[in-house]
Coordinates of all heavy atoms in Angstrom, one line a residue:
M1 N -40.6 29.0 -23.6 CA -39.3 29.4 -23.3 C -38.9 29.2 -21.8 O -37.8 28.8 -21.3 CB -39.1 30.9 -23.5 CG -39.1 31.4 -24.9 SD -37.8 30.5 -25.9 CE -36.4 31.7 -25.5
G2 N -40.1 29.1 -21.0 CA -39.8 28.8 -19.6 C -39.2 27.4 -19.3 O -38.4 27.3 -18.5
F3 N -39.7 26.5 -20.1 CA -39.3 25.1 -20.0 C -37.9 25.0 -20.3 O -37.1 24.3 -19.7 CB -40.2 24.3 -20.9 CG -39.9 22.8 -20.6 CD1 -40.1 22.2 -19.4 CD2 -39.4 22.1 -21.7 CE1 -39.8 20.9 -19.2 CE2 -39.0 20.7 -21.6 CZ -39.3 20.1 -20.4
I4 N -37.4 25.6 -21.4 CA -36.2 25.6 -21.8 C -35.2 26.2 -20.8 O -34.2 25.6 -20.5 CB -36.0 26.4 -23.2 CG1 -36.9 25.7 -24.3 CG2 -34.4 26.3 -23.6 CD1 -36.5 24.4 -24.7
G5 N -35.6 27.3 -20.3 CA -34.9 28.0 -19.1 C -34.7 27.0 -18.0 O -33.5 26.9 -17.4
L6 N -35.7 26.3 -17.7 CA -35.7 25.4 -16.5 C -34.7 24.2 -16.9 O -34.0 23.8 -15.9 CB -37.1 24.9 -16.3 CG -37.2 24.0 -15.0 CD1 -37.2 24.9 -13.7 CD2 -38.6 23.3 -15.0
L7 N -34.7 23.8 -18.1 CA -33.9 22.7 -18.4 C -32.4 23.3 -18.4 O -31.5 22.4 -17.8 CB -34.1 22.3 -19.9 CG -35.2 21.3 -20.1 CD1 -35.4 20.8 -21.6 CD2 -35.0 19.9 -19.2
R8 N -32.2 24.5 -18.9 CA -30.9 25.0 -18.8 C -30.4 25.1 -17.4 O -29.2 24.8 -16.9 CB -30.8 26.3 -19.5 CG -29.5 26.8 -20.0 CD -29.4 28.1 -20.7 NE -30.1 28.1 -22.0 CZ -30.5 29.1 -22.7 NH1 -30.3 30.3 -22.2 NH2 -31.1 28.9 -24.0
L9 N -31.2 25.5 -16.5 CA -31.0 25.7 -15.1 C -30.5 24.4 -14.5 O -29.5 24.1 -13.8 CB -32.0 26.3 -14.4 CG -31.8 26.6 -12.8 CD1 -30.9 27.8 -12.8 CD2 -33.1 26.9 -12.1
L10 N -31.4 23.3 -14.8 CA -31.1 21.9 -14.3 C -29.7 21.4 -14.9 O -28.9 20.8 -14.1 CB -32.2 21.1 -14.9 CG -33.5 21.0 -13.9 CD1 -34.6 20.2 -14.5 CD2 -33.1 20.6 -12.5
A11 N -29.3 21.7 -16.2 CA -28.1 21.3 -16.7 C -26.9 22.0 -16.0 O -26.0 21.3 -15.6 CB -28.1 21.7 -18.2
V12 N -27.1 23.4 -15.7 CA -26.1 24.0 -15.1 C -25.9 23.5 -13.6 O -24.8 23.1 -13.2 CB -26.4 25.5 -15.0 CG1 -25.4 26.2 -14.0 CG2 -26.3 26.1 -16.4
L13 N -27.0 23.2 -13.0 CA -27.0 22.6 -11.6 C -26.2 21.3 -11.6 O -25.5 20.9 -10.8 CB -28.3 22.5 -11.0 CG -28.9 23.9 -10.5 CD1 -30.4 23.7 -10.1 CD2 -28.2 24.5 -9.3
L14 N -26.6 20.5 -12.6 CA -26.1 19.1 -12.8 C -24.5 19.2 -13.0 O -23.8 18.5 -12.4 CB -26.7 18.3 -13.9 CG -26.3 16.9 -14.1 CD1 -26.9 16.1 -13.0 CD2 -26.6 16.4 -15.5
C15 N -24.1 20.2 -13.7 CA -22.7 20.4 -14.0 C -22.0 20.7 -12.7 O -21.0 20.1 -12.5 CB -22.4 21.5 -15.0 SG -22.7 20.9 -16.7
I16 N -22.6 21.6 -12.0 CA -21.9 22.0 -10.7 C -21.9 20.8 -9.8 O -20.9 20.6 -9.0 CB -22.8 23.3 -10.1 CG1 -22.6 24.5 -11.0 CG2 -22.3 23.6 -8.6 CD1 -23.6 25.7 -10.6
W17 N -23.1 20.1 -9.7 CA -23.0 18.9 -8.7 C -21.9 18.0 -9.2 O -21.2 17.5 -8.4 CB -24.3 18.4 -8.8 CG -24.4 17.3 -8.0 CD1 -24.5 17.1 -6.5 CD2 -24.7 15.8 -8.4 NE1 -24.6 15.9 -6.1 CE2 -24.7 15.1 -7.1 CE3 -24.7 15.1 -9.7 CZ2 -24.9 13.6 -7.2 CZ3 -24.8 13.8 -9.7 CH2 -24.9 12.9 -8.4
L18 N -21.8 17.7 -10.5 CA -20.7 16.8 -10.9 C -19.3 17.1 -10.6 O -18.5 16.5 -10.1 CB -21.0 16.5 -12.4 CG -22.1 15.6 -13.0 CD1 -22.3 15.6 -14.4 CD2 -21.9 14.1 -12.3
I19 N -19.1 18.5 -10.9 CA -17.8 19.1 -10.6 C -17.4 19.0 -9.1 O -16.3 18.6 -8.7 CB -17.6 20.5 -11.2 CG1 -17.7 20.5 -12.8 CG2 -16.4 21.2 -10.7 CD1 -17.9 21.8 -13.3
W20 N -18.5 19.3 -8.4 CA -18.3 19.4 -6.8 C -17.9 18.0 -6.4 O -17.2 17.8 -5.5 CB -19.7 19.9 -6.3 CG -19.6 19.9 -4.7 CD1 -18.9 20.7 -3.9 CD2 -20.3 18.9 -3.9 NE1 -19.1 20.4 -2.7 CE2 -20.0 19.3 -2.5 CE3 -21.1 17.9 -4.2 CZ2 -20.5 18.6 -1.5 CZ3 -21.7 17.1 -3.0 CH2 -21.3 17.6 -1.8
R21 N -18.7 17.0 -6.9 CA -18.5 15.7 -6.5 C -17.1 15.1 -6.9 O -16.4 14.4 -6.1 CB -19.6 14.8 -7.1 CG -20.2 13.6 -6.3 CD -21.2 13.0 -7.0 NE -20.8 12.3 -8.2 CZ -21.1 11.1 -8.6 NH1 -22.1 10.5 -8.0 NH2 -20.6 10.6 -9.7
Y22 N -16.8 15.6 -8.0 CA -15.3 15.2 -8.7 C -14.4 15.8 -7.7 O -13.4 15.0 -7.4 CB -15.3 15.6 -10.1 CG -13.9 15.5 -10.7 CD1 -13.5 14.2 -11.0 CD2 -12.9 16.5 -10.9 CE1 -12.2 13.9 -11.4 CE2 -11.8 16.4 -11.4 CZ -11.3 15.1 -11.7 OH -10.1 14.9 -12.2
V23 N -14.5 17.1 -7.4 CA -13.4 17.8 -6.6 C -13.4 17.1 -5.3 O -12.3 16.9 -4.6 CB -13.7 19.2 -6.5 CG1 -12.8 20.0 -5.5 CG2 -13.5 19.8 -7.9
R24 N -14.5 16.8 -4.7 CA -14.7 16.3 -3.3 C -14.0 14.9 -3.2 O -13.3 14.5 -2.3 CB -16.1 16.3 -2.8 CG -16.2 16.4 -1.3 CD -17.8 16.5 -0.9 NE -18.3 15.2 -1.1 CZ -19.0 14.6 -0.4 NH1 -19.3 15.1 0.8 NH2 -19.6 13.4 -0.5
R25 N -14.3 14.1 -4.3 CA -13.7 12.8 -4.3 C -12.3 12.8 -4.5 O -11.4 12.0 -3.9 CB -14.3 12.0 -5.4 CG -13.8 10.5 -5.4 CD -14.7 9.7 -6.4 NE -14.5 10.3 -7.8 CZ -15.2 10.0 -8.8 NH1 -16.0 8.9 -8.8 NH2 -14.9 10.4 -10.0
K26 N -11.7 13.8 -5.2 CA -10.3 14.0 -5.5 C -9.5 14.4 -4.3 O -8.5 14.1 -4.0 CB -10.0 15.0 -6.6 CG -8.9 14.9 -7.4 CD -8.8 15.9 -8.5 CE -7.5 15.9 -9.1 NZ -7.3 17.1 -10.1
T27 N -10.2 15.3 -3.4 CA -9.4 15.8 -2.2 C -9.6 15.0 -1.0 O -8.6 14.9 -0.3 CB -9.9 17.2 -2.0 OG1 -11.4 17.2 -1.9 CG2 -9.4 18.2 -2.9
S28 N -10.8 14.3 -0.9 CA -11.0 13.6 0.3 C -10.8 12.0 0.1 O -11.0 11.3 1.1 CB -12.3 13.9 0.9 OG -13.4 13.3 0.0
G29 N -10.4 11.6 -1.0 CA -10.3 10.2 -1.4 C -9.1 9.7 -0.5 O -8.2 10.4 0.0
P30 N -9.1 8.4 -0.6 CA -7.9 7.8 0.2 C -6.6 8.1 -0.7 O -6.4 7.9 -1.9 CB -8.1 6.3 0.0 CG -9.2 6.2 -1.0 CD -9.8 7.4 -1.0
T31 N -5.7 8.8 0.1 CA -4.4 9.2 -0.6 C -3.5 7.9 -0.8 O -3.3 7.0 -0.1 CB -3.5 10.1 0.3 OG1 -3.5 9.5 1.6 CG2 -4.2 11.6 0.4
P32 N -2.8 7.9 -2.0 CA -2.0 6.7 -2.3 C -0.9 6.6 -1.3 O 0.1 7.5 -1.2 CB -1.5 7.0 -3.7 CG -1.8 8.5 -3.9 CD -2.9 8.9 -3.1
S33 N -0.9 5.7 -0.5 CA 0.0 5.5 0.6 C 1.3 5.0 0.0 O 1.5 4.2 -0.9 CB -0.5 4.5 1.7 OG -0.8 3.2 1.1
T34 N 2.5 5.4 0.6 CA 3.7 5.0 0.2 C 4.3 4.0 1.2 O 5.5 3.6 1.2 CB 4.7 6.3 0.4 OG1 4.6 6.8 1.5 CG2 4.3 7.2 -0.7
T35 N 3.4 3.4 2.2 CA 3.8 2.3 3.0 C 4.3 1.1 2.3 O 5.0 0.3 2.7 CB 2.8 2.2 4.1 OG1 1.6 1.9 3.6 CG2 2.8 3.3 5.0
Q36 N 3.4 0.9 1.2 CA 3.7 -0.4 0.6 C 4.9 -0.3 -0.4 O 5.2 -1.4 -1.0 CB 2.5 -0.8 -0.2 CG 1.3 -1.2 0.7 CD 1.5 -2.4 1.4 OE1 2.1 -3.3 1.0 NE2 1.0 -2.4 2.7
Q37 N 5.5 0.7 -0.6 CA 6.6 0.8 -1.6 C 7.9 0.4 -1.0 O 8.7 0.0 -1.7 CB 6.8 2.3 -1.9 CG 5.8 2.9 -2.9 CD 6.0 4.3 -3.5 OE1 6.9 5.0 -3.0 NE2 5.4 4.5 -4.5
R38 N 8.0 0.2 0.3 CA 9.1 -0.3 0.8 C 9.3 -1.8 0.6 O 8.5 -2.5 1.4 CB 9.3 0.0 2.4 CG 10.6 -0.2 3.0 CD 10.7 0.3 4.2 NE 9.6 -0.3 5.2 CZ 9.8 -1.3 6.0 NH1 11.1 -1.8 6.2 NH2 8.8 -1.8 6.8
S39 N 10.0 -2.2 -0.5 CA 10.0 -3.6 -0.7 C 11.2 -4.2 0.1 O 12.4 -3.8 -0.1 CB 10.3 -3.9 -2.1 OG 11.4 -3.2 -2.7
S40 N 11.0 -5.2 0.9 CA 12.0 -5.9 1.7 C 12.8 -6.9 0.9 O 12.2 -7.6 0.1 CB 11.6 -6.4 3.0 OG 10.5 -7.2 2.5
T41 N 14.1 -7.0 0.8 CA 14.8 -8.0 0.2 C 14.7 -9.3 0.8 O 14.5 -9.5 2.1 CB 16.3 -7.6 0.4 OG1 16.4 -6.2 0.2 CG2 17.1 -8.4 -0.7
M42 N 14.5 -10.5 0.0 CA 14.5 -11.8 0.6 C 15.7 -12.3 0.7 O 16.6 -12.3 -0.1 CB 13.6 -12.6 -0.4 CG 12.2 -12.0 -0.7 SD 11.1 -12.1 0.7 CE 10.6 -13.9 0.6
V43 N 15.9 -12.9 1.9 CA 17.1 -13.7 2.2 C 16.8 -15.1 2.5 O 15.8 -15.5 2.9 CB 17.8 -13.0 3.3 CG1 18.3 -11.7 2.9 CG2 17.0 -12.9 4.5
A44 N 17.8 -16.0 2.1 CA 17.6 -17.5 2.3 C 18.2 -17.8 3.7 O 19.4 -17.5 4.1 CB 18.3 -18.3 1.3
C45 N 17.4 -18.7 4.4 CA 17.9 -19.2 5.7 C 19.0 -20.1 5.4 O 19.1 -21.0 4.6 CB 16.8 -20.0 6.5 SG 17.3 -20.8 8.0
D46 N 20.1 -20.0 6.3 CA 21.4 -20.8 6.1 C 21.2 -22.3 6.5 O 21.9 -23.2 6.1 CB 22.5 -20.2 6.9 CG 23.9 -20.4 6.4 OD1 24.1 -20.0 5.2 OD2 24.6 -21.2 7.0
V47 N 20.1 -22.6 7.2 CA 19.9 -24.0 7.7 C 18.9 -24.6 6.7 O 19.2 -25.7 6.2 CB 19.3 -23.9 9.1 CG1 18.9 -25.4 9.6 CG2 20.4 -23.2 10.0
C48 N 17.7 -24.0 6.6 CA 16.6 -24.8 5.8 C 16.5 -24.1 4.3 O 15.8 -24.7 3.6 CB 15.3 -24.7 6.5 SG 14.7 -23.1 6.8
G49 N 17.1 -23.0 4.1 CA 17.0 -22.5 2.8 C 15.7 -21.8 2.5 O 15.5 -21.2 1.4
T50 N 14.9 -21.5 3.5 CA 13.7 -20.8 3.4 C 13.9 -19.3 3.1 O 14.8 -18.7 3.9 CB 12.8 -21.0 4.6 OG1 12.5 -22.4 4.8 CG2 11.4 -20.2 4.4
H51 N 13.2 -18.9 2.1 CA 13.4 -17.4 1.8 C 12.4 -16.6 2.8 O 11.2 -16.8 2.7 CB 13.1 -17.2 0.3 CG 14.2 -17.5 -0.6 ND1 14.5 -18.7 -0.7 CD2 15.2 -16.8 -1.1 CE1 15.6 -18.9 -1.6 NE2 16.0 -17.6 -1.8
V52 N 12.9 -15.7 3.5 CA 12.3 -14.8 4.3 C 12.6 -13.3 4.2 O 13.7 -13.2 3.7 CB 12.5 -15.2 5.8 CG1 11.9 -16.5 6.3 CG2 13.9 -15.2 6.1
P53 N 11.7 -12.5 4.3 CA 11.9 -11.0 4.2 C 13.1 -10.7 5.1 O 13.2 -11.1 6.2 CB 10.7 -10.3 4.5 CG 9.7 -11.3 4.4 CD 10.1 -12.7 4.7
E54 N 14.0 -9.7 4.7 CA 15.1 -9.4 5.3 C 14.7 -8.7 6.7 O 15.4 -8.9 7.8 CB 15.8 -8.2 4.8 CG 17.3 -8.1 5.0 CD 18.0 -7.1 4.2 OE1 17.9 -5.9 4.4 OE2 18.7 -7.5 3.2
D55 N 13.5 -8.1 6.9 CA 13.0 -7.6 8.2 C 12.6 -8.7 9.2 O 12.8 -8.4 10.3 CB 11.7 -6.8 7.9 CG 11.9 -5.6 7.0 OD1 13.1 -5.2 6.8 OD2 10.9 -5.1 6.4
N56 N 12.2 -9.8 8.8 CA 11.9 -10.9 9.5 C 13.0 -11.9 9.9 O 13.0 -12.7 10.7 CB 10.7 -11.7 9.1 CG 9.4 -10.8 8.8 OD1 9.3 -9.8 9.5 ND2 8.5 -11.2 8.1
A57 N 14.1 -11.7 9.1 CA 15.2 -12.7 9.1 C 16.1 -12.3 10.4 O 16.2 -11.1 10.8 CB 16.0 -12.7 7.8
I58 N 16.9 -13.2 10.8 CA 17.9 -13.0 11.8 C 19.3 -13.0 11.3 O 19.6 -14.1 10.7 CB 17.7 -13.9 13.0 CG1 16.4 -14.0 13.6 CG2 18.8 -13.9 14.1 CD1 15.7 -15.2 14.1
K59 N 20.1 -12.1 11.5 CA 21.4 -12.0 10.9 C 22.4 -12.3 12.0 O 22.3 -11.7 13.1 CB 21.6 -10.7 10.2 CG 22.9 -10.8 9.2 CD 23.2 -9.3 8.7 CE 24.3 -9.4 7.7 NZ 24.8 -8.1 7.2
E60 N 23.3 -13.2 11.7 CA 24.5 -13.4 12.6 C 25.6 -13.8 11.8 O 25.5 -14.8 10.9 CB 24.0 -14.4 13.7 CG 25.0 -14.5 14.7 CD 24.4 -15.1 16.0 OE1 23.3 -14.5 16.5 OE2 24.7 -16.3 16.3
N61 N 26.7 -13.1 12.0 CA 28.0 -13.4 11.3 C 27.8 -13.5 9.8 O 28.3 -14.4 9.1 CB 28.6 -14.8 11.8 CG 28.8 -14.7 13.3 OD1 29.2 -13.7 13.9 ND2 28.6 -15.9 14.0
D62 N 27.1 -12.4 9.3 CA 26.8 -12.3 7.9 C 26.1 -13.5 7.3 O 26.2 -13.9 6.1 CB 28.2 -12.2 7.1 CG 28.7 -10.7 7.3 OD1 27.9 -9.9 7.5 OD2 29.9 -10.6 7.2
R63 N 25.4 -14.2 8.1 CA 24.5 -15.3 7.6 C 23.1 -15.1 8.2 O 22.9 -14.4 9.2 CB 25.0 -16.6 8.2 CG 26.3 -17.0 7.6 CD 27.1 -18.1 8.4 NE 26.7 -19.5 8.0 CZ 27.2 -20.6 8.5 NH1 28.1 -20.3 9.6 NH2 26.9 -21.7 8.1
W64 N 22.1 -15.5 7.3 CA 20.8 -15.3 7.6 C 20.1 -16.5 8.0 O 20.3 -17.5 7.5 CB 20.0 -14.6 6.3 CG 20.5 -13.3 6.0 CD1 21.4 -13.0 5.1 CD2 20.1 -12.0 6.6 NE1 21.6 -11.6 5.0 CE2 20.7 -11.0 5.9 CE3 19.0 -11.8 7.6 CZ2 20.5 -9.7 6.3 CZ3 18.9 -10.5 7.8 CH2 19.7 -9.5 7.1
F65 N 19.2 -16.3 9.0 CA 18.4 -17.4 9.6 C 16.9 -17.0 9.6 O 16.7 -15.8 9.8 CB 18.9 -17.7 11.0 CG 20.4 -18.2 10.9 CD1 21.3 -17.3 11.3 CD2 20.7 -19.5 10.4 CE1 22.7 -17.6 11.2 CE2 22.1 -19.8 10.3 CZ 23.0 -18.8 10.8
C66 N 16.0 -18.0 9.4 CA 14.6 -17.6 9.5 C 14.1 -17.6 10.8 O 13.0 -17.0 10.9 CB 13.8 -18.7 8.5 SG 13.8 -20.4 9.3
C67 N 14.7 -18.3 11.7 CA 14.0 -18.2 13.1 C 15.2 -18.4 14.1 O 16.3 -18.8 13.7 CB 13.0 -19.3 13.2 SG 13.6 -20.9 12.8
D68 N 15.0 -18.1 15.3 CA 16.0 -18.2 16.5 C 16.5 -19.8 16.5 O 17.6 -20.0 16.6 CB 15.5 -17.7 17.7 CG 15.2 -16.3 17.9 OD1 16.1 -15.5 17.4 OD2 14.2 -15.9 18.3
E69 N 15.5 -20.6 16.3 CA 15.7 -22.1 16.4 C 17.0 -22.4 15.3 O 17.9 -23.2 15.7 CB 14.6 -22.9 16.1 CG 14.7 -24.2 16.5 CD 13.3 -24.9 16.3 OE1 12.2 -24.4 16.5 OE2 13.4 -26.1 15.7
H70 N 16.9 -22.0 14.2 CA 17.8 -22.3 13.1 C 19.2 -21.6 13.4 O 20.2 -22.1 13.1 CB 17.3 -22.0 11.8 CG 16.3 -23.0 11.3 ND1 15.6 -22.9 10.0 CD2 15.9 -24.3 11.8 CE1 14.7 -24.0 10.0 NE2 14.9 -24.7 11.0
R71 N 19.0 -20.4 14.0 CA 20.2 -19.8 14.3 C 20.9 -20.5 15.4 O 22.2 -20.7 15.4 CB 19.9 -18.3 14.8 CG 21.2 -17.6 15.0 CD 20.9 -16.2 15.9 NE 20.3 -16.7 17.1 CZ 19.8 -15.8 18.1 NH1 19.6 -14.6 17.7 NH2 19.2 -16.2 19.2
D72 N 20.3 -20.9 16.5 CA 20.9 -21.6 17.5 C 21.4 -23.0 17.0 O 22.5 -23.4 17.4 CB 19.9 -21.9 18.6 CG 19.5 -20.7 19.3 OD1 20.3 -19.6 19.0 OD2 18.5 -20.5 20.0
Q73 N 20.7 -23.6 16.1 CA 21.1 -24.9 15.6 C 22.4 -24.7 14.9 O 23.3 -25.8 14.8 CB 19.9 -25.3 14.7 CG 20.1 -26.7 14.1 CD 18.7 -27.2 13.3 OE1 17.8 -26.7 13.6 NE2 19.0 -27.9 12.3
N74 N 22.6 -23.7 14.2 CA 23.8 -23.4 13.4 C 25.0 -23.3 14.2 O 26.2 -23.4 13.8 CB 23.6 -22.4 12.4 CG 24.6 -22.4 11.2 OD1 25.5 -21.6 11.2 ND2 24.2 -23.3 10.3
Q75 N 24.7 -22.7 15.5 CA 25.9 -22.5 16.2 C 26.4 -23.6 16.9 O 27.7 -23.6 17.1 CB 25.4 -21.4 17.3 CG 25.3 -20.0 16.9 CD 24.8 -19.0 17.9 OE1 24.2 -19.4 18.9 NE2 25.3 -17.9 17.7
H76 N 25.7 -24.7 17.2 CA 26.2 -25.9 17.8 C 27.0 -26.8 17.0 O 26.6 -26.8 15.8 CB 25.1 -26.6 18.5 CG 24.3 -25.5 19.6 ND1 25.1 -24.9 20.5 CD2 23.1 -25.3 19.8 CE1 24.1 -24.2 21.2 NE2 23.0 -24.3 20.8
Ligands
ZN1 ZN1 15.4 -21.8 8.6

């Protein structure tokens, strides 16, 4: 009976350890970041037609440009 009791104790300890590990991983794990959720719109450069994210594009007179060079090029 002593051996069975030891096995039962080990099983209980194993369960506690598994639950503790699960809880710890759940709370201290990397939280799903919302930084990647912001999807930027792609806009086409008015000079070369290259599609660039709206964040990186240059807007002037309701037209989009991929770089300063193309914006200046369009003005002249
Ligand atoms: Zn361009």
Side-chain angles (χ1 to χ4, degrees):
M1 287 302 276
F3 183 65
I4 301 293
L6 190 70
L7 275 183
R8 199 179 289 170
L9 184 71
L10 279 173
V12 169
L13 284 173
L14 186 72
C15 279
I16 291 169
W17 179 68
L18 283 173
I19 290 165
W20 175 75
R21 221 174 59 145
Y22 173 77
V23 169
R24 212 175 67 132
R25 189 173 55 186
K26 207 177 168 186
T27 51
S28 70
T31 49
S33 59
T34 53
T35 48
Q36 292 291 325
Q37 280 191 346
R38 191 170 60 97
S39 58
S40 52
T41 320
M42 298 295 278
V43 290
C45 173
D46 207 61
V47 175
C48 65
T50 303
H51 282 76
V52 285
E54 205 176 82
D55 296 342
N56 299 341
I58 299 145
K59 194 184 186 185
E60 195 158 295
N61 302 324
D62 284 332
R63 294 161 90 179
W64 289 99
F65 303 99
C66 67
C67 53
D68 290 318
E69 201 181 313
H70 282 173
R71 185 197 57 191
D72 295 342
Q73 192 177 320
N74 200 260
Q75 281 178 335
H76 301 311

